[in-house]
Amino acid sequence: MQEIKISIITPTRKQDCIEHLIENYYRQEYKHKELIIVINNDNMQTAIFDKYIAKDSSIHVYRLPARLHLAQCLNLAVSKAKLDYIARFDDDDFYGEKYLQEINENFQTKHCDIINKGSFYTYFKEIKILMKRGSGKENRYGAEGGGATTCFKKEIFNNINYVSIDRCDSVLMKACRAARYKIYSTSSHNFMAVRSTDISVHTYQKPFEFFLKNPRNKIVAEQIEYEEACRLINTL
């Protein structure tokens, strides 16, 4: 199957996530890709990425002042993207080696404009719990998905952009639905969100107990280490 060409966009404020986001990029068993990083932290220097940029022309780094909203970082990244599809990667989540392959296969067989994951796994790192969220939203059209799992045809951004308000991912998706773009949610595999009990480090600031209340969410493993959870998500 021919590969579509995908620009991965990743805004970051977290210096301790740099190695992780680079690892997510190189883990992808996919050829036609580029990585666009937007630094949104006034104390983080672009030079920290020099060793990667020097040996890989597919990695590009930009910066915006910390006072600017996440949406402005995402819009800048989209404007710098050279390829035909835009995949949003968060800097602290886990993207399995076949994540982009799954996107490619579904775009070519499901005839859609946007792909996401309505159901996916989340690892709560301090308490070592793995949860499956959104059960029943796998492999179907129209499901609401996690912002960190969205991939768009770039042409969509000729008409719609991220807006600088809370939950800008959800607002963008609402605009896409109103414009009648077709959305498809893939399997729950190949991706794992990673959350801390310190909710201040997350855009979606909800505690563990909040996720427990949703009947579509279910704990699938306890006292599990991160590395084991990464392997387990494709076997459940």
Side-chain angles (χ1 to χ4, degrees):
M1 180 179 289
Q2 187 176 357
E3 288 186 353
I4 60 175
K5 297 179 180 180
I6 303 176
S7 296
I8 298 168
I9 62 172
T10 304
T12 185
R13 292 183 170 186
K14 305 169 189 170
Q15 187 157 331
D16 60 348
C17 286
I18 291 170
E19 294 290 339
H20 183 76
L21 70 89
I22 295 291
E23 287 171 3
N24 273 327
Y25 180 62
Y26 283 127
R27 189 181 300 113
Q28 301 305 308
E29 296 177 352
Y30 203 83
K31 181 179 179 181
H32 293 100
K33 64 183 189 291
E34 67 173 351
L35 174 62
I36 298 171
I37 300 164
V38 179
I39 298 172
N40 193 209
N41 179 342
D42 295 336
N43 296 318
M44 189 190 303
Q45 300 301 314
T46 55
I48 202 165
F49 291 99
D50 285 352
K51 64 180 179 180
Y52 304 110
I53 297 170
K55 61 183 179 183
D56 191 341
S57 61
S58 73
I59 297 177
H60 314 277
V61 180
Y62 303 91
R63 69 177 309 120
L64 284 176
R67 61 182 172 77
L68 296 184
H69 195 275
L70 170 64
Q72 291 168 284
C73 297
L74 292 167
N75 286 332
L76 173 64
V78 170
S79 73
K80 298 297 185 180
K82 300 182 180 72
L83 306 182
D84 299 329
Y85 291 77
I86 307 290
R88 165 85 184 276
F89 274 30
D90 272 4
D91 56 6
D92 53 1
D93 293 331
F94 172 80
Y95 296 81
E97 60 270 14
K98 298 187 184 302
Y99 182 84
L100 292 184
Q101 285 186 19
E102 184 180 21
I103 285 175
N104 180 59
E105 290 166 7
N106 281 278
F107 264 123
Q108 297 200 49
T109 59
K110 303 303 180 184
H111 308 292
C112 54
D113 304 296
I114 302 165
I115 277 174
N116 64 21
K117 288 188 180 292
S119 175
F120 55 89
Y121 293 92
T122 298
Y123 183 69
F124 297 86
K125 57 185 180 181
E126 288 88 358
I127 55 178
K128 299 183 179 181
I129 286 177
L130 181 64
M131 175 185 286
K132 184 177 182 181
R133 294 165 54 189
S135 293
K137 294 184 177 181
E138 306 94 332
N139 303 311
R140 52 172 284 197
Y141 288 97
E144 186 77 19
T149 70
T150 47
C151 186
F152 307 82
K153 290 182 177 178
K154 188 184 178 186
E155 64 194 41
I156 287 173
F157 290 92
N158 294 331
N159 305 312
I160 298 171
N161 288 296
Y162 288 96
V163 181
S164 299
I165 57 178
D166 289 345
R167 302 203 68 187
C168 61
D169 291 298
S170 295
V171 173
L172 179 75
M173 293 304 296
K174 184 177 180 179
C176 288
R177 291 174 192 278
R180 299 188 179 278
Y181 288 112
K182 186 176 287 189
I183 304 165
Y184 187 78
S185 290
T186 64
S187 77
S188 57
H189 298 151
N190 300 310
F191 169 80
M192 183 176 76
V194 180
R195 291 190 64 88
S196 170
T197 52
D198 178 8
I199 62 174
S200 68
V201 304
H202 297 293
T203 304
Y204 191 49
Q205 297 186 351
K206 299 294 184 181
F208 173 71
E209 292 74 17
F210 170 83
F211 297 100
L212 279 179
K213 294 177 182 178
N214 189 326
R216 287 187 181 271
N217 298 344
K218 180 182 178 181
I219 293 174
V220 295
E222 299 183 65
Q223 291 304 307
I224 184 171
E225 298 297 332
Y226 172 82
E227 292 78 10
E228 185 181 354
C230 291
R231 293 190 293 269
L232 187 61
I233 59 172
N234 281 3
T235 65
L236 294 170

